[in-house]
Amino acid sequence: MNMIEERVSKAREQASEFFRPDQVWPFLVPDQPQQVDVSKQVLLYVEGLNLSFDGFKALNDLNLYINDGELRCLIGANGAGKTTLMDVITGKTQPDSGTVYFGSNINLLDRSEDEIAQLGIGRKFQKPTVFEAQTVFDNLELSLKSNKGVIPTLLARLSPTEIQRIDEVLNIIGLQEQRFMLAGALSHGQKQWLEIGMLLMADPRLLLVDEPVAGMTPQETERTAELLQSLAGERTVIVVEHDMEFVRSIARTVTVLHQGSVLAEGTMDQIQANKDVIEVYLGEDA
Amino acid sequence: MKKLMCISFWLMGCLLPALSHGAEPDAAEAAIQAGHSDSETIPKLVQQLTEKSLTKAIPVLEALAREGGETMLPLFRTMLNGDLYYVKATGRVVGQQEVDGETSYKDLLTAEPVTGLGKRDTKKIRVNNKLRGFLRDSISRIQLSSEDPAKRGAAVRSLLSDLDDSTVLAISEARENETDADVMATMDLALAMYALAEGNSDVEKMDAIEQLSGSLEQDVRNLLRQYAEMEPDHSDYNAKASAAASKALSKIQEKVEFYGFVDQLFFGLSLGSVLLLAAIGLAITFGVMGVINMAHGEMIMLGAYTTYIIQMLLPNHIDLSIWIAIPAAFIVSGLVGVAIERGVIRHLHGRPLETLLATFGISLFLQQLVRTVISPQNVPVSTPSWMSGTLDINPVLSLTLNRLYILAFALLVFFALLIILKKTNLGLNVRAVSQNRAMARAMGVRSDRVDALTFGLGSGIAGIAGVALSQLTNVGPNLGQSYIIDSFMVVVFGGVGNLWGTLVAAFSLGIANKFLEPVTGAVLASILVLVFIILFIQKRPKGLFPQKGRAAE
Amino acid sequence: MSSLISSIFANRGQPGGRVMPFVMILLVATVLASCLNLFTPEGSALHVSTYTITLLGKYLCYAMLALAVDVIWGYCGILSLGHGAFFALGGYAMGMYLMRQIGDRGVYGNPILPDFMVFLDWQELPWFWLGMDQFWFAMIMVILVPGILAYVFGFLAFRSRVTGVYLSIMTQALTYALMLAFFRNEMGFGGNNGLTDFKDILGFDLQSDTTRIVLFLITAALLSVALVTSHWIMNSRMGKVILAVRDSESRARFIGYKTETYKVWLFVYSAVIAAVAGALYVPQVGIINPGEFSPINSIEVVIWVAVGGRGTLIGAVVGALLVNYAKTRFTAILPEGWLFMLGALFVLVTLYLPKGLMGLYGQLKDKFSGPSGPSSANDRKTSDTAEGASA
Amino acid sequence: MKFNKLFAGVTLALGTSMVTFTATAEDTIKVGVLHSLSGTMAISETTLKDTVLMMVEEQNKAGGLLGKKLEPVVVDPASNWPLFAEKTRELLTEKDVDVIFGCWTSVSRKSVLPVIEELNGLMFYPVQYEGEESSKNVFYTGAAPNQQAIPAVDYLMNDLDVERWVLAGTDYVYPRTTNKILEAYLKSKGVDAKDIMVNYTPFGHSDWQSIVSDIKKFGSKGKKTAVVSTINGDANVPFYKELGNQGISAEDIPVVAFSVGEEELSGIDTKPLVGHLAAWNYFQSVDTAENEQFIDTWKTFIKNEDRVTNDPMEATYIGFKMWAQAVEKAGTTDVDAVEKAMIGQEVKNLTGGVAVMNKNHHLSKPVLIGEIQDDGQFEVVWETDGVVAGDAWSDFLPGSKDLIADWTAPTECGNYNVKTKSCGGSMATAE
């Protein structure tokens, strides 16, 4: 008897909760663009991340904090989990456990790739991926920060400010001459630049850059270093790179990954002096 | 015991396919020569067969059976097979035989060969179903005294549906001298049925019901049902017997339902084995190489046509033809597969959608080729004698032999393939190329050769599947078309690149289909299965057993 | 200054090609043919027979279907082997309307039930036939039913990222399942016989030449509308997103486009074009039956597109017209040879004409007038990567 | 832009080339042949095309018709139903044929019907079908259900004492209708509803295990059982094979089929079929002088000793002969005149007796039942006394029991309702 009463009252409670006049139902709440909360000066929180593929631990209790406006380099041997980490941050892969927060308020694991991109996290792939069948200009136009719903996109017209913005970026990446060339016809280095340009178009808060100078000439590498350095401060940049010279030239803080977790963190000099690192990573080179 | 019999029977079927023919008629002929019949009446009666119309033939045959007894066996058998003729000119009744394409005749009463007759000189003595039924019954009755216990048992069983005084008398006489336990049990059953049907005392009937209650024989059930459902105003009504009968019936029913379930399971497994055979070649070309071969169905078709051609070439060795056809079909389809790979697919590497279109074109081409070269009609493929018939477990459960063989064959092919891929050098190369082409090439694997061989292997196995399918269904230009969608479904459902997945998928789809069919009907069952797969793939895009890890991305 | 130049040239190498002149030619040709049918005497050398008109009308419906396939295959890399299903569903919706229009003129004279239902002893109209006697309702159904099916299928498939070959096979299974279903007489769509023996549409006699001409012109007009709309979509930023999805879906996602939504809506758009084509097809050929669902029909459409040149709107239309015209001609001369030809066409086009006739035209132009721009020089390469991405 | 000009040229060229000039040679009578030569139905229909060509050749040898030669016009509708309508229009308007012999499936006939009525053509349809149709412009020379199904059931009931019935068919209109008619007929004969089992399968069904096992169970209830099969084409072989494999012989449960003829048997291993039955109006094995001559002519014409003849071929033969006679009688090939002259025409059957064209455009023919022999031929085991008149509208269907067809004055209606005394439906308004 008691039990039934209890249940009825509980149900009534639930029902009244559901029909509360001062609230809309959760599924009717419009998606509000959330502001990233960086009051703690930290832009990215990665905590306790675990991920395994068929028994192979790609990420092993990984913890990483990136400050707002920082330029961070990630280094590590192949299979250390660098790319997998990026996959997790950008929503491509779901971890087995752990949390990833953008600012202190946005849980990235709840979101899909495109939502994460719209939050202002841009990613450059290891292998340059641009839309090869379209012109450089179109590539940049597509990357504009704009409403990316179907109907707005269908009706979108380039405004003068947007065209100006594209020109600006074309200048930065040095591809004004090639603006009407198909992206597929660009050289490897130019594609890398174009991809970085596409990231810039979106005006991102956080840039994840995977091996930006692979296959570049020394001059191009130098320009890339300059570019990345100029970005830091206003934006936050995480660079994954194998080229130690390049890392040294840009990095303020370096994080070393090994077997899916953080091995060491510090300035380049500190890292190079770190025993563990010498053993597992630099040791191989020496 | 049954299991043992089953296995030994199977082995015999496999090893001695050619031996099952032609031993028995001679024994019966010897009996004729001993000849104790009335030399006057029998030939006269036989003569009447050529004159009487079909409806009047039964009294003549009855008289013959009465007069001739065992000596009539060859005549009855020949007539049953439709090989009884008479010479137009003389009216002499002869049996026709075909040996190695040669037609010969012999007198059935004297067993003397009759020479000098051509096909035009004789006319067939017609039989219809009524006559066939009668002949079969007579043969059974005569065979009650056969040497072979299995034959005696079959004879009694076939008489169960038609028990009359004379039959029962014959059975009870035979019962006296019977030594074989199984046959004795069947005979007792027959006598019990008779006692229930015609008996006088209640005690007798109750005993009979008691005796019948464990039997699965269809005729027993019908008889019991008669009693169980008998209306109270019926003259034979007996409340006690009726209750006992319905109790016995429900006991039997439980068993029947169980065996019905087993039967359905077997149907499902059998359909699954067909799906497995059809899909397994695809699992290799699609799963391992990533090539969509829409001409896969036509590889199956080529295999089936190879069987047909082998049977055309060896018309007198149907029993052997399958054994020749299996390697032949493998080679034919395999070579065509290699040719397709070298000629077309190689040029479309890394463009799977294009491969799909090109191979679809090839499939149209091959179909039309068969139509033009062979015939647009279906072609006849015979079933070897060792593959026809059933394996009777009990009266309600009998498994058809050809399905049983195909089930075993499908599993054999599957495991052979598994071993090839796991243990041989070719398998190693195939797996290497499928996982990382560039690296395999760098290691010295000749990837183009491996591609051609893999494709040949997949196609060859499709050819073998064609041999099996030729035993079940039409062999015609459209054969492949009807299996291609199902094959794709199986592979996709199981998970591309996973042979075990294909196995599980084939059998689960087969069984699901067969268990749905009684509820929904055949069409709706296949629609439901298709819709289920479509939804399933949305849920798990990589199938039941997906390949995991970064390599799978 | 530089921004001005950008805006002018932003549309260079436009994905749709030049479509307006083509539409003009199409419309002029159809109107001309119609006039020649209506206003010239039968024996005249210029007379276009009604037979030719129905034939051309059929071709135009096919062209529209090809356009639908091209929109998703050529531009978005989704190879649908089941577009015949949407075509047939549109056709069935139209067929149901036409069936209801027969009224009591059927052989059994039943004012409500179509003949095949009387035949099978049905007592009342199934619920899904209700309302189909209203033209507006039927036309909504023409669009709604295939549209919703495409939406549900696309939503499920694209959300779970079924792509490439898997998707092709699933679409094939979809149309195959529908074919089996429509073959069932219990479904209430006339089983194997389908719907036929139509009398009139909106009160106009379907057998009069004028009605035929009007249907023919409407088909041409709607094909033009579809061409222009598709052209507009493909030249908008959405078109660029669609190309981006085809060439590198993950990149598109990482710059913030919800690609599955784009794919779903494009799929629905394409399905609706196919459905409208089917709805126009039925009154012109006079019958719709489950054979239209058969997977081989859908695959044939793909080859029309491939022949014409995928990724160009005009190519799809031209391909459909050419292949079907060839089919009409060759089956008359050598019925047995047609399948050989069709088979060979599949193989040769995929091997040697990956961009179809429109691509061939580009290739030839380059050969004779020298390399004129970067776009054609890179055709081959881009098509390769396009495929790689869609795999 | 260049391309567009080019394309414009091409379209114009296409357009004009289709404005075909029909060279109207007045000295021939054109005979249209509308049978699929490719696609799924080509297997069956190609034979009928050849039969018509043979009949045309024979007729021309005998001096043609009305002093003119006959000229066959063959088109290929490719087993594609809309294409049947299109090709009919082509035959009637572009090729100006005087008569069409064609169609096999019901759906192809239904597709052709509106066109042939619109353009007032004349067609002969040579295949057994479900009935429920009579068009002014079509003559049906194949069997209606009462000329095949009902006699077959009578035979099973009276001669084989069958009490339980399995009606198994492919799921399309012919089996559906035939089974509806049979169900009503059996019930009218006092058969209980639970002694009838109806089953439908899709086209080309190949896995018959469950259904055959159901039939076996259904047939093991102690009453004599028979299967009435309207299973179509390709599905038959696996069906009979499964029957044989599950040990069901023709004596236990005979199967009587309406779609299995000599032509179908020539493509299969007949061993499992021996003893099963088929009902037709014609069997190749029937021993008459006309038949012998027909078979000889056929084998010479087709240059193949192994080719067989079958019922639809006889129907084509009868239809062609009747048409020729009607044209002679009318003295013209004008459709209306020939249509009037057709009614009452008589042609000797190949199986003996005389076929008569009735007022409802259906034939009166004898019905034969044959048992399948191991050489792929049939042994006639039963035949009707005299001929049976084809019934366009079945008396056993509620929708059509009051309908008759009568194309003579004053009725002139394909679906005349004898109760309301009115001509319902399309045929009346089309006049």
Side-chain angles (χ1 to χ4, degrees), chain A residues 201-214:
Chain A
M201 286 305 300
D203 194 17
R205 196 68 192 261
L206 171 66
L207 277 137
L208 305 170
V209 188
D210 207 346
E211 304 199 17
V213 296

Side-chain angles (χ1 to χ4, degrees), chain A residues 89-161:
Chain A
I89 296 170
T90 52
K92 191 180 174 197
T93 311
Q94 278 292 321
D96 297 336
S97 65
T99 55
V100 181
Y101 270 84
F102 188 47
S104 52
N105 58 339
I106 300 173
N107 183 358
L108 289 183
L109 295 183
D110 286 349
R111 295 168 191 251
S112 62
E113 289 109 309
D114 50 284
E115 285 165 345
I116 293 173
Q118 298 225 35
L119 282 172
I121 299 181
R123 178 178 183 189
K124 198 199 89 57
F125 291 102
Q126 209 164 342
K127 191 176 144 229
T129 30
V130 291
F131 306 121
E132 309 213 344
Q134 302 190 56
T135 61
V136 170
F137 188 94
D138 287 345
N139 267 284
L140 294 179
E141 184 192 335
L142 281 172
S143 320
L144 265 174
K145 186 175 189 174
S146 61
N147 188 335
K148 287 180 173 160
V150 174
I151 299 294
T153 309
L154 182 63
L155 303 172
R157 285 277 168 275
L158 277 174
S159 67
T161 48

